[in-house]
Amino acid sequence: MPTSGVSIADELRAALDGPWRDVRERARGILDDDRLYGDPALDIKAARARVLEQMQLVASFGWVEGGFRHPDGSPGDPGAVVTALEMLAYTDLSLWVKSGVQWGLFGGAVENLGTERHREYIDELIPLRLLGCFAMTETGHGSDVANLETTATYDPATREFVVHSPTLSARKDYIGGAAEHARVAAVFAQLITGGESKGVHCFLVPIRDEAGSDLPGVTTSDCGLKGGLPGVDNGRILFDQVRIPRENLLNRYADVAPDGTYSSEIENPSRRFFTTLVRGRISVGGAAAAAARVALSIAVRYAEQRRQFADPDTGEETVLLDYRSHQRRLLPLVARSYALAFAQNDLVHRMHLVQTGQATDPRAQRALENRAAGLKVAQTRHATQAIQECREACGGAGYLTENRLVTLKADTDVFTTFEGDNVVLTQLVAKDLLTAYADEVRDLDALGWVRFAATMARDVVRERSGVRQMIQRLRDRSDESVDEGDLSRRSVQLQLFADREDYMVRTAAHRLQARAEETGPFEAFNNAQDHILAAGTAHIERLVLEAFIDGIAEIEDPDARALADSVCDLYVYWTIEQNQAWYIMHRFMSVERAKAVRRGVNELVDRLRPQALTLIEGLGVPEGMLRAAVLG
């Protein structure tokens, strides 16, 4: 048993809390405050005003300052700040998004792309004396940031940049804070000087006066009602020859001299703005996973108390979680929540090392971008699936706003879209795999990418022979238990995940090469896109499993570690079950082993059923913070 006074749930929660567990524990006490929770009955105007009041309360917690360099230039504690703000997702996701826009995106742009000459903005935005927004996305360009249309043309005669929206599709769109509250926008635009475009850069552009009126040349409008997040004032911005001082260029990586001479230490233009996207993607994924933990905590607790139909032997009604179907619909999602929590801890730690200058190798930054993109995809898709399943698992109670699930569902729906569309990000992950993180091809167009793939070794397909499949079939038994089969060994589990990733990446390259020989580059890429996306997904799943295994190794208590091991087994078996058709089709798994996998999922949910509440408590959302009326 765990050491005296410490439960298995406590041990699991401590493990999932990760490197900044003290931050999470303090946040649990601070956030158990009715003022921080949303009210679904409010209209859009009142909801926005409430969130602004909530932000003032968050600003008083002292969390935000650590996300920025100290005045003496020493680094802050970005890992602690990302972790603390992630905890806001347990309260009101409108508050989390609005806080993320102010301190994460707007503040992060100034912090990561600006220099000492912009320090006054940091000093004002931290205590909310200056509200800002992050104006990247345009009506005509979302994920394709490199081709944004907004321009910022330097005028050496006045030493000003002229910010302009040349077309309607250049309008900044869906921008949080732009509808009402923001007075300054961090605007991403094509920098033009001496008649030459230097790529996308970020500029600080005032958009409103202190009374809330648009400044000359600026036109803002309101996106209006959305599917969720009513407290976030999303809006649109158009610029008509708006002049700003030369110093409003955030010039950490590039600058324009008074005479218009351009200089930059980074040759690749896209590298300049990727720097500020990483923390946003990490935060979005973390908040989505946190919302899923809230939903699962509500649904599993409800399933432990709601009874349905009588047991013919005893005459007593059966609680929902005693039904195999209910166990199968919820417990694998709990297992994936554990896996993603460990993966998020690892990701935030990597981000912290990079952003505090402890990891200076450029490869570490590239790997961080790749991992952040992939995990954001996994976490937001998990939230979409898990919250919907929880809503259905709670029946009619799940459809009442007083039980939060429909609000969580509506508020997280857009997470799959912002900070990078999930399909595009998955493609980015696979592209990095195919190009082996090579700088010279990272930003190639379709033609360049296809040409690169065609240069890869021709021996790219490791076919599994019929003999190997026969040996596997003879060795496997469909009636073996989890403990009896070799699939219980972590090495075998990892090999299955890695084999799938390796096969998909190699065959995607082969498919690109073969198609490029008979058609154009776009057709070749388009033809293989489904394959490329599948390779990216397989890579993400392998990374998550590795993080789960590493996380379990840090649990010292043997009982807690044994329970976490079973949870990991369920994650593995369930993930393989979701992909078992692929494993059979490509001869990585016999039919007998596929049957054993299905039996293994059933065995594992049975094994974990008595520990369901322990696992939920280990997820770290205190029962009092669930704010679901159905739980009493």
Side-chain angles (χ1 to χ4, degrees), residues 467-514:
V467 173
R468 175 169 178 170
Q469 185 182 27
M470 180 181 296
I471 293 172
Q472 186 69 59
R473 185 173 67 250
L474 291 172
R475 189 174 66 184
D476 292 339
R477 294 183 9 243
S478 64
D479 62 346
E480 66 186 12
S481 70
V482 169
D483 296 325
E484 293 170 339
D486 68 347
L487 190 52
S488 65
R489 297 202 302 269
R490 291 283 179 252
S491 59
V492 175
Q493 296 171 356
L494 267 173
Q495 191 61 52
L496 277 171
F497 278 54
D499 278 347
R500 180 164 169 259
E501 174 191 351
D502 180 66
Y503 186 93
M504 284 189 167
V505 171
R506 290 172 179 273
T507 52
H510 178 75
R511 187 170 167 184
L512 280 169
Q513 176 186 355

Side-chain angles (χ1 to χ4, degrees), residues 452-473:
F452 176 80
T455 67
M456 297 180 70
R458 292 187 176 275
D459 185 20
V460 292
V461 184
R462 296 192 308 177
E463 294 286 0
R464 266 42 182 181
S465 70
V467 173
R468 175 169 178 170
Q469 185 182 27
M470 180 181 296
I471 293 172
Q472 186 69 59
R473 185 173 67 250

Side-chain angles (χ1 to χ4, degrees), residues 349-509:
H349 178 65
R350 290 169 183 265
M351 177 212 74
H352 182 82
L353 294 178
V354 169
Q355 297 198 344
T356 57
Q358 298 177 68
T360 57
D361 189 335
R363 290 174 297 182
Q365 172 71 25
R366 289 195 295 269
L368 177 65
E369 291 169 6
N370 178 275
R371 196 173 289 250
L375 196 54
K376 185 265 182 182
V377 172
Q379 290 172 311
T380 56
R381 284 180 175 166
H382 169 63
T384 297
Q385 179 185 2
I387 296 171
Q388 176 64 25
E389 196 66 60
C390 290
R391 207 296 299 157
E392 294 182 24
C394 290
Y399 201 58
L400 301 179
T401 57
E402 67 179 12
N403 294 318
R404 293 192 67 188
L405 294 172
V406 286
T407 302
L408 288 169
K409 182 173 179 289
D411 287 348
T412 58
D413 189 45
V414 74
F415 282 35
T416 61
T417 299
F418 66 38
E419 291 302 310
D421 173 83
N422 276 3
V423 172
V424 175
L425 290 184
T426 305
Q427 184 174 291
L428 172 66
V429 171
K431 182 178 177 181
D432 276 359
L433 292 173
L434 285 167
T435 59
Y437 308 107
D439 280 333
E440 65 271 20
V441 295
R442 182 181 176 85
D443 298 293
L444 291 180
D445 57 14
L447 174 60
W449 190 9
V450 170
R451 284 176 175 168
F452 176 80
T455 67
M456 297 180 70
R458 292 187 176 275
D459 185 20
V460 292
V461 184
R462 296 192 308 177
E463 294 286 0
R464 266 42 182 181
S465 70
V467 173
R468 175 169 178 170
Q469 185 182 27
M470 180 181 296
I471 293 172
Q472 186 69 59
R473 185 173 67 250
L474 291 172
R475 189 174 66 184
D476 292 339
R477 294 183 9 243
S478 64
D479 62 346
E480 66 186 12
S481 70
V482 169
D483 296 325
E484 293 170 339
D486 68 347
L487 190 52
S488 65
R489 297 202 302 269
R490 291 283 179 252
S491 59
V492 175
Q493 296 171 356
L494 267 173
Q495 191 61 52
L496 277 171
F497 278 54
D499 278 347
R500 180 164 169 259
E501 174 191 351
D502 180 66
Y503 186 93
M504 284 189 167
V505 171
R506 290 172 179 273
T507 52

Side-chain angles (χ1 to χ4, degrees), residues 278-320:
V278 171
R279 192 185 296 191
R281 286 173 180 165
I282 292 171
S283 298
V284 167
R293 292 195 292 271
V294 173
L296 286 164
S297 298
I298 294 170
V300 171
R301 289 183 182 277
Y302 180 73
E304 283 277 23
Q305 67 183 43
R306 176 74 160 87
R307 294 182 177 274
Q308 186 83 292
F309 303 116
D311 184 324
D313 295 327
T314 66
E316 295 183 0
E317 287 188 307
T318 305
V319 296
L320 291 177

Side-chain angles (χ1 to χ4, degrees), residues 549-571:
I549 293 170
D550 288 342
I552 292 173
E554 298 297 318
I555 302 176
E556 295 182 0
D557 178 76
D559 294 325
R561 188 168 59 249
L563 182 55
D565 270 324
S566 292
V567 175
C568 186
D569 283 334
L570 178 56
Y571 169 71

Side-chain angles (χ1 to χ4, degrees), residues 235-302:
R236 303 179 174 103
I237 314 173
L238 276 168
F239 301 100
D240 183 8
Q241 308 292 338
V242 176
R243 288 182 172 269
I244 59 172
R246 180 183 68 89
E247 291 77 13
N248 283 28
L249 166 66
L250 295 178
N251 63 326
R252 178 174 297 275
Y253 299 109
D255 208 351
V256 173
D259 65 358
T261 302
Y262 176 85
S263 61
S264 175
E265 64 183 51
I266 298 179
E267 294 181 5
N268 187 332
S270 70
R271 304 295 307 160
R272 301 183 192 117
F273 54 78
F274 268 121
T275 306
T276 196
L277 294 179
V278 171
R279 192 185 296 191
R281 286 173 180 165
I282 292 171
S283 298
V284 167
R293 292 195 292 271
V294 173
L296 286 164
S297 298
I298 294 170
V300 171
R301 289 183 182 277
Y302 180 73

